[in-house]
Amino acid sequence: LSCRDVKVRAGDASYEVLIGTGLLADVGSLSRNVLVPPPRRILLVADTGLPDATRDRVAGSLESAGFGTHSVCAIATEREKSIQSFQRLHVEAARFGIDRGDALVALGGGIVGDLTGFVAATHRRGVRVIQCPTTLLAMVDASVGGKTGVNLQADGMLLKNFVGSFHQPERVIASVEVLESLDERQFRSGLAECIKHTMIAGELDPTLGDWTRDNLNAILSRQDGVLIELIARNVAIKASIVASDEHETAATGGRALLNLGHTFAHAIETIDTLTPDGDPGNAPLLHGEAVALGLVAAASAARQMKLVSNEFVRTTIEMVADAKLPTQISHLPDTGQILDRMTHDKKALGGVMRAVLPIGPGQCKTVETPPLDALRCGIDSIRA
Ligand code: GLY
């Protein structure tokens, strides 16, 4: 299978996202190509959820390329995406002797990538980082675009990504065979971000929605070729949006469009008691599952504001359900409480909430201070 290469330009940074199979055994040489001058040492931060063999393959490849390599691990949960983990990794980096010319490699899902990226952004005021995403979500979204950070525990709430910075990687290496062993829920979670991209792609890729729908079975059965195409097309959308507004400062639209569904999602994904099927024995909602619910809520809120039709809402729900993602959830706290959590979201600018709402197929817009009754309608639409 051929390897795809999508270019990302963000401010002064310019890098490639490589998407293919069997790339992990070559992370060393693929890093050496772009780390100029070469680092002496590389700290590899690996997700504890990965098979040891995967971590060892990457560590071995870095060593073979001549880098002094030390591996540490990080636990991929929202609670562990914390200031404490950030501090621990800085200490590990300092003990290993990482200096300004050295580099970090993140090997894992979005949580490990964001955490490692933030350590790289700040260790000795910044070292280079290579992202090796191992989940679909990290491949199509989190590893690209330079957002890094950790959650903040405050006032009994987990404030998502409250502490962080923009730090673009030197290269992103996505090797799709690692997705074969990815847990089913984790895999579908990544599809939520792909559905999000179909809802904002517009002229950037007008056929992405139809292509994704037509290839859903091949995607769900994780065929390498179709996954490479899926990831390349999704990364291309993200790359264009990031290039136009790296720091999310555009007055309207811009990078904020990538937050479609996220204002709702952030309000519910940190409630530990919520599970996708309501069974308290199951693991809490994953980020992508919350985004899936957030997409449905955003479509319903937009319908209430007469921005889209009932048919649009139905199509959105159908796409989410076909990807085997939740469209409704039981045991949701009362709507007022969810609204309070939404206003705490970091995307509330200076106290003004900015929501991203669809206005038609492939098109969204940012809306400042959306009417509360529309937000309520969105929340109620996902209540089972
Ligand atoms: N995941 C949203 C962004 O990178 O802006």
Side-chain angles (χ1 to χ4, degrees):
L1 287 170
S2 61
C3 179
R4 297 282 293 271
D5 163 354
V6 181
K7 297 228 168 10
V8 185
R9 286 197 180 79
D12 294 339
S14 167
Y15 56 94
E16 292 165 319
V17 180
L18 305 182
I19 308 143
T21 51
L23 301 179
L24 292 186
D26 294 328
V27 167
S29 53
L30 293 171
S31 301
R32 186 165 263 286
N33 290 344
V34 289
L35 295 174
V36 181
R40 280 185 307 130
R41 295 189 173 87
I42 288 190
L43 184 75
L44 170 65
V45 183
D47 198 317
T48 50
L50 286 171
D52 288 351
T54 305
R55 183 202 55 214
D56 293 347
R57 191 172 316 130
V58 174
S61 151
L62 290 167
E63 270 156 20
S64 307
F67 304 121
T69 305
H70 177 59
S71 305
V72 292
C73 52
I75 300 173
T77 61
E78 294 291 344
R79 300 231 159 252
E80 295 285 335
K81 188 181 173 183
S82 62
I83 297 277
Q84 289 76 17
S85 301
F86 170 76
Q87 146 94 9
R88 177 179 63 81
L89 291 179
H90 271 297
V91 171
E92 300 269 17
R95 283 197 181 128
F96 183 50
I98 293 286
D99 69 25
R100 289 291 306 277
D102 291 333
L104 268 56
V105 171
L107 177 67
I111 291 176
V112 171
D114 281 9
L115 170 65
T116 308
F118 188 37
V119 174
T122 46
H123 195 71
R124 295 181 162 233
R125 299 198 179 84
V127 298
R128 294 167 292 178
V129 66
I130 302 273
Q131 292 282 351
C132 300
T134 60
T135 63
L136 181 60
L137 189 141
M139 290 180 186
V140 296
D141 185 14
S143 64
V144 180
K147 278 192 180 175
T148 73
V150 295
N151 301 329
L152 189 66
Q153 186 82 51
D155 302 333
M157 280 206 280
L158 196 63
L159 301 174
K160 288 265 305 176
N161 303 327
F162 243 64
V163 183
S165 90
F166 290 93
H167 188 59
Q168 301 291 343
E170 303 300 314
R171 181 165 259 181
V172 179
I173 303 168
S175 200
V176 299
E177 78 283 358
V178 292
L179 301 179
E180 275 160 29
S181 58
L182 191 64
D183 166 84
E184 191 59 38
R185 276 181 63 188
Q186 288 279 358
F187 183 80
R188 291 185 220 138
S189 195
L191 283 181
E193 300 287 3
C194 299
I195 297 172
K196 176 193 82 177
H197 286 150
T198 70
M199 295 172 73
I200 59 178
E203 290 309 305
L204 295 174
D205 189 343
T207 59
L208 183 65
D210 288 343
W211 182 88
T212 307
R213 250 184 296 271
D214 292 348
N215 287 280
L216 202 52
N217 286 337
I219 293 169
L220 287 168
S221 59
R222 308 190 197 182
Q223 292 173 16
D224 285 349
V226 83
L227 289 179
I228 291 172
E229 175 75 9
L230 175 77
I231 296 160
R233 287 176 78 156
N234 277 272
V235 168
I237 304 250
K238 177 144 190 190
S240 298
I241 294 176
V242 167
S244 69
D245 180 25
E246 182 190 9
H247 293 142
E248 207 174 305
T249 47
T252 57
R255 185 165 185 165
L257 294 177
L258 292 168
N259 298 331
L260 173 64
H262 283 58
T263 310
F264 289 99
H266 285 178
I268 58 173
E269 71 185 305
T270 47
I271 305 173
D272 284 346
T273 49
L274 295 179
T275 60
D277 57 0
D279 178 347
N282 279 335
L285 277 187
L286 295 171
H287 176 67
E289 291 167 340
V291 169
L293 290 159
L295 297 176
V296 173
S300 304
R303 167 70 195 93
Q304 165 77 12
M305 290 170 67
K306 301 195 172 17
L307 298 172
V308 294
S309 62
N310 286 330
E311 178 56 24
F312 180 91
V313 179
R314 263 196 303 275
T315 313
T316 306
I317 293 174
E318 209 173 85
M319 184 95 169
V320 171
D322 287 350
K324 305 193 193 323
L325 283 158
T327 57
Q328 290 200 312
I329 186 153
S330 47
H331 311 301
L332 204 59
D334 68 61
T335 303
Q337 206 179 316
I338 303 285
L339 274 175
D340 278 352
R341 296 176 76 96
M342 284 172 72
T343 51
H344 258 86
D345 192 277
K346 78 171 188 333
K347 281 152 198 120
L349 290 173
V352 178
M353 182 196 281
R354 190 149 67 133
V356 183
L357 296 173
I359 52 174
Q363 303 284 347
C364 286
K365 68 171 182 178
T366 47
V367 179
E368 298 231 329
T369 334
L372 284 182
D373 65 331
L375 297 179
R376 277 203 193 89
C377 179
I379 295 165
D380 290 338
S381 75
I382 57 169
R383 188 183 294 287

